Amino acid sequence: AQKVTQAQTEISVVEKEDVTLDCVYETRDTTYYLFWYKQPPSGELVFLIRRNSFDEQNEISGRYSWNFQKSTSSFNFTITASQVVDSAVYFCALIPFSKGATNKLIFGTGTLLAVQP
Amino acid sequence: ETGVTQSPTHLIKTRGQQVTLRCSSQSGHNTVSWYQQALGQGPQFIFQYYREEENGRGNFPPRFSGLQFPNYSSELNVNALELDDSALYLCASSGRDVGSPLHFGNGTRLTVT
């Protein structure tokens, strides 16, 4: 099965708290790509990061960091010192790569993050 | 760099009618995909177009069809609208290679009454 699970439906934090959004994926392919997208109330999906299955290095970009662990099939996203502008729905997504594959994103159900002032 | 633009923003249709949604891809991108996002759900892949041909399709019936034009812009057509077609329709453009990041437009909110 090709699947992405985001078990946290909603998270509420107070500004300046750190928050981690969980993502667990399933795929039978050895090559795949993982993504995180942010969807603010305006509706547009904003691309945040892409990782390929051969690169397990963690990545940090400002207040954002990502922890990719193939052993647990997880690709978690941490926001440090959260801000009200971080309030949005966050989606984890997967593109499996096999012969004949298309560039099709398989999304999780999303996590609604509410950052209170 | 021009991003992905979609029109219209909102649309209200009656069950049984037909609708056309439009999308202009980001400059430099030759592949367009369409997704349906029901309320509270993640987007679901409808289909993808490359060089004016459909080259991937999700689990959607044939009454969902599309076109891609030589300038890489695209249309999504839905015939015989049903109440369950009410959703946010998102267009995304990307490069051709599998794994290329998809860049999305703001979407069209379709309501079927």
Side-chain angles (χ1 to χ4, degrees), chain A residues 33-36 47-52 59 75, chain B residues 99-101:
Chain A
Y33 298 86
L34 295 165
F35 298 79
W36 277 95
F47 166 70
L48 296 178
I49 189 171
R50 176 189 69 172
R51 305 298 281 171
N52 73 54
E59 184 157 339
F75 185 42
Chain B
S100 299

Side-chain angles (χ1 to χ4, degrees), chain B residues 46-83:
Chain B
I46 303 175
F47 44 54
Q48 176 179 293
Y49 277 81
Y50 171 69
R51 288 190 175 177
E52 302 174 51
E53 289 192 4
E54 183 183 297
N55 74 338
R57 189 176 185 92
N59 189 26
F60 282 82
R63 58 191 186 82
F64 284 78
S65 63
L67 286 172
Q68 186 184 29
F69 301 99
N71 66 354
Y72 307 129
S73 66
S74 177
E75 286 181 356
L76 164 65
N77 299 290
V78 187
N79 293 323
L81 283 167
E82 301 176 359
L83 296 179

Side-chain angles (χ1 to χ4, degrees), chain B:
Chain B
E1 183 179 83
T2 306
V4 177
T5 58
Q6 292 185 242
S7 62
T9 307
H10 294 86
L11 206 50
I12 300 175
K13 289 286 190 179
T14 304
R15 190 171 48 184
Q17 285 187 318
Q18 176 265 343
V19 69
T20 297
L21 310 182
R22 294 179 174 81
C23 171
S24 294
S25 62
Q26 182 167 312
S27 58
H29 287 174
N30 54 20
T31 300
V32 174
S33 306
W34 286 90
Y35 289 76
Q36 181 196 65
Q37 186 178 17
L39 204 59
Q41 300 296 315
Q44 298 293 314
F45 175 72
I46 303 175
F47 44 54
Q48 176 179 293
Y49 277 81
Y50 171 69
R51 288 190 175 177
E52 302 174 51
E53 289 192 4
E54 183 183 297
N55 74 338
R57 189 176 185 92
N59 189 26
F60 282 82
R63 58 191 186 82
F64 284 78
S65 63
L67 286 172
Q68 186 184 29
F69 301 99
N71 66 354
Y72 307 129
S73 66
S74 177
E75 286 181 356
L76 164 65
N77 299 290
V78 187
N79 293 323
L81 283 167
E82 301 176 359
L83 296 179
D84 284 349
D85 296 332
S86 295
L88 180 67
Y89 288 85
L90 293 160
C91 172
S93 69
S94 68
R96 173 69 176 94
D97 294 338
V98 174
S100 299
L102 278 71
H103 296 269
F104 287 83
N106 285 339
T108 294
R109 173 73 63 186
L110 173 65
T111 302
V112 183
T113 62

Side-chain angles (χ1 to χ4, degrees), chain A residues 42-81:
Chain A
S42 61
E44 179 183 1
L45 281 162
V46 178
F47 166 70
L48 296 178
I49 189 171
R50 176 189 69 172
R51 305 298 281 171
N52 73 54
S53 51
F54 299 108
D55 183 1
E56 286 193 74
Q57 277 194 339
N58 292 330
E59 184 157 339
I60 298 175
S61 176
R63 297 184 296 107
Y64 295 171
S65 62
W66 291 270
N67 184 330
F68 176 28
Q69 292 196 342
K70 287 178 76 170
S71 60
T72 55
S73 297
S74 65
F75 185 42
N76 296 337
F77 173 28
T78 297
I79 301 174
T80 303

Side-chain angles (χ1 to χ4, degrees), chain A residues 86-113:
Chain A
D86 296 327
S87 297
V89 180
Y90 290 86
F91 289 97
C92 181
L94 164 73
I95 295 180
F97 181 85
S98 57
K99 187 178 178 182
T102 57
N103 202 32
K104 165 188 136 180
L105 280 164
I106 299 167
F107 283 89
T109 51
T111 297
L112 172 61
L113 173 64

